Amino acid sequence: MIRFHFLWLFIAATGLVAAADLPRERISIDENWRFIKGDPTNCTVSLLYDSRRDEAIRRVAEAEADGNPTANQSAASNQTADLPPAVIKQWILPTGNPFIKDASRRWTRPAGNPGDGAPYVQPGFDDSSWRRVDLPHDWAIEGPFITEGGGGMGRLPSPGVGWYRKKLSIPAGDAGKSIFLDVDGAMSYAVVWLNGRLVGGWPFGYASWRVDLTPYVKPGGENELTIRLDNPPQSSRWYPGGGIYRNVWLLKTGPVHVCHWGTQLTTPEVSRERATVNLKVTVDNDSKQSGNVSLKTEIFPLNANGKRSGSAVANIAPMSLKISPGESAVAEGVGTVVNPKLWGPPPTQRPNRYVAVTTVSQDGNVADTYETPFGIRTLKFDPNQGVFVNGERIELKGVCDHHDLGALGAALNDRALQRQLEMLMDMGCNAIRTSHNPPAPEFLELTDKMGFLVMDETFDVWVRKKTPLDFHLIFPDWHEQDLRAHLRRDRNCPSVILWSIGNEVGEQFTGADGAEWGRKLSNIVHEEDSTRPTTTAMNWAQPTNLLPATVDIVGLNYQGAGIRTTPGRYPEFHEKFPDKLIIGSETASALSSRGEYIFPVTASNSAAVGSKSGEEPGRRQVSAYELYHAAFGASADKVFASQEKHPYVGGEFVWTGWDYLGEPTPFDASRSSYSGIIDLAGFKKDRFYLYQAHWRPDFPMAHILPHWTWPGREGQITPVHVFTSGDEGELFLNGKSQGRKKKGAGEYRLRWDDVVYTPGTLKVVTYKNGAKWAAAEMKTAGQPSRLKLEPDRDKIRADGRDLSFVTVTVTDKAGLTSPRADNRIHFEIHGAGEIVATDNGDPTSLEPFQSCDRKAFNALCLVIVRGKSGQPGTIQLTARSDGLEIGTTSIKTIRAGGIR
Ligand code: GAL
């Protein structure tokens, strides 16, 4: 292993090191990669991760991808003695060693260099004909959509092999430094080579991970980085995406440095007057000399943008360490923040944050600096009263969300994520469950900044599979590394309040075996973080099952409101586990398509969807009266009632906040889900207002449905429902009262089910406690005539990443939305930007997301526009459609750093 440590120490000692070279450089290497899909035809070496997967394909490819209990089988049955030895995994497993606690179980790298002989791995390989891409990159989102088979994985080509190559220029002055590659997420089974030498890798596609490039780097020249991904088919119950879909960094440090995710900050005593801050720092000594190291930490407040503001408000008492060569050592220290500004969720609290800046010095020279943003807050989980943050009871008004960003696919984009969270916050949502995997680090940066409470989830499967080739195949080898890596990455984030070790895992049904896994994973969490509880989300567990007892908080999916004919189970669990808080870890699974109203409308407040119940099977749409749900679910109304009836329950996480790619229940032929409160394009379904009315009771609002443009329905009964944060309302049709209605106990909407359709104006006036509260109107629109373009932001950064989301509405002459318009619209862009994707939120649409031609779906289209990097100016977006007046808008792009 060549480390050039002597040279480095010499340079450091003589003070020749430029300030910019010290101590830690984190460089984005997202730009300018080469990419190709598939292995080369002339490749004679096998790059198979593990023969177990091949065997699994052979044995179970035909098995139904189904999460139901009887179809769940243990992966262990795929492992038999007669299998050929694993091909490449022995070289990959050592990458996870820092996350294996028992040193005797860590992996040793075998001799040899898998990939020798694989053309793409060879230094000097000519990749100039490959496609040039920037990361984050999702190879599947460009389609084409796949019309064969099931829609579970989103009908997009995520499975397969993909290769990425990049030239890294490493200056000669980097000799002696430790150089790492940090990958925030690559889907999946990543293997990394540098200059033809296999470095390591990580199979779990949602994990963030690091490989140490140091032994393979050639300072003073170009280094060739090659990454191969191998995404199995039938590996997910939703759209996983494919590719290096999150950010990638090159990290350079001195040989003595804070290790990966090497700090842990906790605040064991917090009052308004003072907070005790405990800091634990792990320092690695990658050199061949023993190191005498001193550590100093200062704490600064962060402003709302995450920038340091003002001078240090506290210090952690200096610490010192002696670290043997090639070893790590841990230092612990304490400090006090006086009059701390606490972190808490809006609207009643503020998400104030601090940053701890740790300076590591060796022989009087700065060897490393490391920043740890954190928050000061208290959490209490009371089995009878719910969740408390800083002493205030906060009901979890949460949603579950998957990681995809709709038309952008899995490719991480900060602004797209921020938009998702902003809309959820506007609805009154204060909590997110990262279903069912570790999120992007940027997601937690946003939830920390914005003040969401996060249930951070690691796994959807343990050893029992849900789909034939999902991550159950690697779970036996990787569960500890994946879990500890996830916890170490996220445990300083104040928004994380709860760790979920699994979702609806098959181990719910396996008695003692399953409970053993639950206990093992829960123990790992407690070892890594003693400040937050564990949970697992269970949809079939009985109070007498062994699994719920292994976690701190009982997470019930759907069981609170009751599944099918099984009545709600909160009381049984509460009685059986009087010391454990219960949460509705997944609720509702209500289904709808934005702007679709299907008659007749059920008289019930909750009905399972079916061909005669809220569905229009021919068009694969579900009614937006927001009363229908998956067979095992419940309407929002029914869930609200069950939550209110059991106030000891901490709150709920609705399935889902946003529609997502894949799992298009109840129409498998579609591409995306129907369960979102917000559709895939980011347009609000009516359900948005049902939640807003309930979750923001002090925000005056009223919302009418359906639309009131029904040529041909004259004289027919057309129920009108109103979602309002008021408690009473009077509906008028063309000025004539349809009666005044009041919400009864357990009712969350006002319904006028006998209204006879006549074109004109519907108006509702709502009241709260007898006083006027809010009003809304809905008018009959004329023929589609114009196109209205509205960017969510008319000024964005010219950095090639920032986005403007432009809503295109088909209106009549007077500007009223034509609610059923499905005109085909063509988009053109000129100037300083480009169209990244378009969508319309229709789960049945198989039009490519990159197309500049798209049909409106119930009046709306979305155009996602990006500014060209480094070219500030004006973007002109034009929309044309036959027979409609042209629509335009302009967006300014300004130099990076100019906004926020
Ligand atoms: C739940 C499951 C989710 C999703 C949902 C569909 O049981 O946890 O991942 O599959 O059903 O409605």
Side-chain angles (χ1 to χ4, degrees):
M1 190 191 280
I2 310 160
R3 292 262 171 138
F4 302 99
H5 53 277
F6 293 114
L7 177 63
W8 191 89
L9 284 177
F10 169 74
I11 295 171
T14 53
L16 293 177
V17 181
D21 292 342
L22 265 182
R24 170 179 286 258
E25 269 184 284
R26 188 169 186 247
I27 304 159
S28 166
I29 52 164
D30 283 345
E31 282 181 17
N32 220 354
W33 288 71
R34 294 285 170 169
F35 166 72
I36 198 164
K37 192 93 194 281
D39 278 328
T41 44
N42 58 347
C43 184
T44 50
V45 297
S46 166
L47 297 172
L48 190 68
Y49 171 80
D50 183 351
S51 50
R52 191 170 167 210
R53 185 167 118 194
D54 253 15
E55 185 63 6
I57 295 180
R58 195 170 63 70
R59 291 190 187 181
V60 295
E62 67 288 337
E64 273 292 300
D66 190 339
N68 82 44
T70 48
N72 276 321
Q73 295 167 21
S74 170
S77 63
N78 296 328
Q79 251 185 344
T80 62
D82 61 318
L83 290 185
V87 179
I88 208 170
K89 82 169 183 180
Q90 285 96 333
W91 284 265
I92 307 302
L93 279 162
T95 306
N97 278 346
F99 305 95
I100 299 176
K101 190 178 164 203
D102 175 356
S104 70
R105 290 190 47 252
R106 296 192 188 131
W107 300 87
T108 306
R109 181 187 167 107
N113 186 44
D116 262 351
Y120 296 169
V121 170
Q122 302 316 307
F125 173 79
D126 179 9
D127 57 21
S128 59
S129 63
W130 292 16
R131 181 166 165 194
R132 189 197 163 283
V133 296
D134 290 336
L135 309 181
H137 174 241
D138 175 358
W139 72 53
I141 196 62
E142 288 177 19
F145 281 104
I146 302 159
T147 48
E148 310 285 294
M153 285 175 69
R155 307 201 155 278
L156 287 162
S158 50
V161 167
W163 289 83
Y164 292 83
R165 294 185 104 252
K166 182 172 172 68
K167 295 198 171 50
L168 296 174
S169 162
I170 307 282
D174 283 350
K177 291 186 181 174
S178 293
I179 301 187
F180 304 98
L181 176 74
D182 282 354
V183 176
D184 289 348
M187 190 65 70
S188 55
Y189 288 88
V191 182
V192 179
W193 290 265
L194 188 70
N195 300 325
R197 304 286 303 161
L198 192 149
V199 180
W202 202 286
F204 186 36
Y206 295 102
S208 298
W209 44 274
R210 162 176 294 182
V211 287
D212 186 358
L213 303 178
T214 319
Y216 313 100
V217 159
K218 293 188 182 135
E222 247 178 10
N223 289 252
E224 292 182 53
L225 185 62
T226 307
I227 300 181
R228 180 182 186 266
L229 306 179
D230 185 359
N231 222 10
Q234 299 188 67
S235 60
S236 180
R237 301 186 298 114
W238 59 87
Y239 175 71
I244 309 179
Y245 71 102
R246 291 181 183 160
N247 291 317
V248 175
W249 310 88
L250 197 64
L251 179 76
K252 301 178 185 176
T253 67
V256 173
H257 55 88
V258 175
C259 87
H260 197 200
W261 304 312
T263 57
Q264 182 172 22
L265 271 145
T266 51
T267 51
E269 284 153 39
V270 178
S271 69
R272 299 274 159 197
E273 292 73 41
R274 60 187 53 246
T276 307
V277 181
N278 280 358
L279 171 68
K280 207 166 152 182
V281 191
T282 307
V283 181
D284 285 350
N285 179 2
D286 288 351
S287 78
K288 286 195 176 148
Q289 269 84 44
S290 130
N292 287 317
V293 162
S294 64
L295 287 97
K296 160 184 123 184
T297 299
E298 289 180 301
I299 295 173
F300 298 87
L302 288 178
N303 67 20
N305 293 327
K307 300 264 175 296
R308 249 192 244 184
S309 72
S311 45
V313 294
N315 294 300
I316 306 277
M319 307 178 265
S320 53
L321 287 173
K322 188 172 166 82
I323 321 172
S324 309
E327 297 288 322
S328 304
V330 181
E332 292 192 52
V334 188
T336 304
V337 176
V338 178
N339 297 325
K341 288 204 163 115
L342 303 186
W343 184 99
T348 50
Q349 303 187 34
R350 302 297 322 148
N352 298 302
R353 288 190 303 153
Y354 293 90
V355 61
V357 181
T358 303
T359 307
V360 181
S361 301
Q362 194 183 6
D363 306 325
N365 295 315
V366 173
D368 194 10
T369 55
Y370 191 90
E371 301 203 350
T372 315
F374 71 105
I376 299 175
R377 46 131 180 81
T378 64
L379 292 175
K380 188 173 99 180
F381 298 86
D382 185 297
N384 298 309
Q385 296 180 72
V387 179
F388 289 76
V389 182
N390 301 322
E392 182 192 1
R393 180 182 196 266
I394 305 285
E395 186 191 339
L396 299 177
K397 300 168 175 175
V399 300
C400 305
D401 266 337
H402 274 312
H403 70 313
D404 77 66
L405 297 168
L408 303 173
L412 174 87
N413 179 280
D414 293 25
R415 172 56 200 157
L417 261 181
Q418 186 188 39
R419 171 178 178 248
Q420 288 196 335
L421 293 172
E422 281 173 357
M423 287 180 68
L424 292 170
M425 193 163 259
D426 180 40
M427 185 171 79
C429 169
N430 63 10
I432 317 271
R433 171 178 176 216
T434 67
S435 39
H436 304 297
N437 43 257
E442 290 75 7
F443 171 90
L444 291 175
E445 264 170 55
L446 283 165
T447 53
D448 282 353
K449 267 189 202 165
M450 296 172 78
F452 281 95
L453 305 175
V454 175
M455 169 171 165
D456 203 353
E457 190 154 79
T458 315
F459 300 117
D460 190 50
V461 288
W462 294 347
V463 287
R464 292 169 76 86
K465 69 176 181 239
K466 291 182 179 171
T467 61
L469 301 179
D470 62 28
F471 292 116
H472 81 285
L473 292 174
I474 54 166
F475 187 84
D477 281 343
W478 282 91
H479 63 275
E480 183 183 356
Q481 300 91 307
D482 279 326
L483 184 54
R484 286 193 200 271
H486 181 199
L487 298 161
R488 286 184 204 169
R489 192 195 69 173
D490 293 353
R491 65 189 172 183
N492 293 315
C493 296
S495 58
V496 175
I497 61 162
L498 185 57
W499 301 111
S500 168
I501 54 174
N503 171 59
E504 297 183 355
V505 291
E507 285 73 6
Q508 289 172 108
F509 321 105
T510 56
D513 285 0
E516 194 42 46
W517 274 113
R519 219 177 332 272
K520 194 168 170 184
L521 298 172
S522 214
N523 286 345
I524 290 177
V525 176
H526 292 148
E527 281 171 14
E528 294 290 334
D529 177 18
S530 59
T531 71
R532 298 174 181 91
T534 58
T535 191
T536 183
M538 297 168 293
N539 61 330
W540 283 91
Q542 320 273 322
T544 49
N545 283 14
L546 300 176
L547 186 62
T550 67
V551 285
D552 305 316
I553 285 185
V554 176
L556 296 181
N557 287 7
Y558 306 103
Q559 298 195 90
I563 294 182
R564 298 187 176 90
T565 52
T566 313
R569 293 208 125 135
Y570 288 144
E572 283 172 66
F573 275 92
H574 191 45
E575 199 184 319
K576 172 80 190 190
F577 298 104
D579 300 331
K580 291 187 200 271
L581 173 67
I582 298 172
I583 55 165
S585 41
E586 197 169 310
T587 59
S589 238
L591 307 172
S592 57
S593 313
R594 174 184 52 78
E596 296 285 333
Y597 304 94
I598 294 160
F599 304 99
V601 175
T602 176
S604 165
N605 74 345
S606 186
V609 80
S611 59
K612 295 202 169 62
S613 175
E615 274 181 12
E616 197 174 323
R619 296 180 52 250
R620 302 202 308 273
Q621 301 297 1
V622 181
S623 176
Y625 271 92
E626 310 296 12
L627 292 163
Y628 303 96
H629 53 80
F632 52 84
S635 68
D637 311 55
K638 190 174 169 197
V639 174
F640 291 154
S642 76
Q643 295 291 121
E644 286 198 331
K645 202 164 152 208
H646 305 292
Y648 51 82
V649 173
E652 65 165 317
F653 290 90
V654 178
W655 190 264
T656 49
W658 280 62
D659 269 331
Y660 53 94
L661 288 163
E663 219 188 25
T665 311
F667 298 116
D668 200 35
S670 297
R671 66 169 196 194
S672 51
S673 78
Y674 296 74
S675 53
I677 298 170
I678 298 168
D679 78 15
L680 198 76
F683 301 132
K684 296 167 185 166
K685 299 183 187 173
D686 291 290
R687 219 181 318 149
F688 180 95
Y689 300 97
L690 184 53
Y691 283 99
Q692 192 179 54
H694 187 59
W695 283 352
R696 293 181 68 185
D698 299 330
F699 175 62
M701 52 77 62
H703 174 83
I704 299 179
L705 69 145
H707 64 76
W708 211 240
T709 305
W710 294 101
R713 260 196 95 73
E714 290 80 1
Q716 294 185 54
I717 289 197
T718 307
V720 176
H721 292 191
V722 168
F723 302 150
T724 176
S725 46
D727 48 29
E728 204 178 348
E730 185 167 11
L731 183 74
F732 300 89
L733 175 53
N734 295 328
K736 187 161 172 262
S737 174
Q738 306 293 302
R740 188 159 164 156
K741 308 244 175 193
K742 209 175 170 120
K743 289 180 192 166
E747 287 178 1
Y748 304 90
R749 63 175 71 200
L750 299 169
R751 316 176 54 142
W752 286 264
D753 279 333
D754 301 323
V755 179
V756 173
Y757 177 68
T758 327
T761 303
L762 273 178
K763 177 171 180 176
V764 71
V765 178
T766 68
Y767 300 85
K768 192 155 186 153
N769 302 322
K772 267 204 179 143
W773 180 250
E777 241 182 30
M778 185 69 85
K779 287 190 169 158
T780 305
Q783 288 300 313
S785 159
R786 291 164 53 183
L787 290 168
K788 183 168 75 182
L789 273 60
E790 296 167 290
D792 69 337
R793 293 184 312 155
D794 57 11
K795 208 185 271 172
I796 59 175
R797 286 188 305 273
D799 61 0
R801 291 195 173 217
D802 201 7
L803 302 173
S804 185
F805 290 83
V806 183
T807 300
V808 181
T809 311
V810 182
T811 75
D812 68 3
K813 267 203 171 55
L816 285 177
T817 300
S818 302
R820 298 290 296 183
D822 62 355
N823 307 62
R824 175 163 294 286
I825 308 175
H826 176 72
F827 302 103
E828 277 163 30
I829 193 159
H830 297 283
E834 53 207 355
I835 293 176
V836 191
T838 60
D839 190 14
N840 57 15
D842 177 358
T844 71
S845 170
L846 299 187
E847 290 175 284
F849 287 123
Q850 284 68 39
S851 175
C852 289
D853 271 292
R854 181 170 288 279
K855 284 179 85 158
F857 176 58
N858 292 327
L860 301 181
C861 260
L862 174 76
V863 186
I864 307 175
V865 170
R866 171 169 65 198
K868 290 183 188 159
S869 180
Q871 297 179 40
T874 304
I875 300 172
Q876 201 69 35
L877 181 68
T878 307
R880 294 172 208 275
S881 181
D882 283 351
L884 304 184
E885 245 176 63
I886 197 168
T888 63
T889 190
S890 65
I891 298 157
K892 280 213 154 19
T893 73
I894 60 175
R895 227 164 256 300
I899 318 179
R900 261 197 201 214

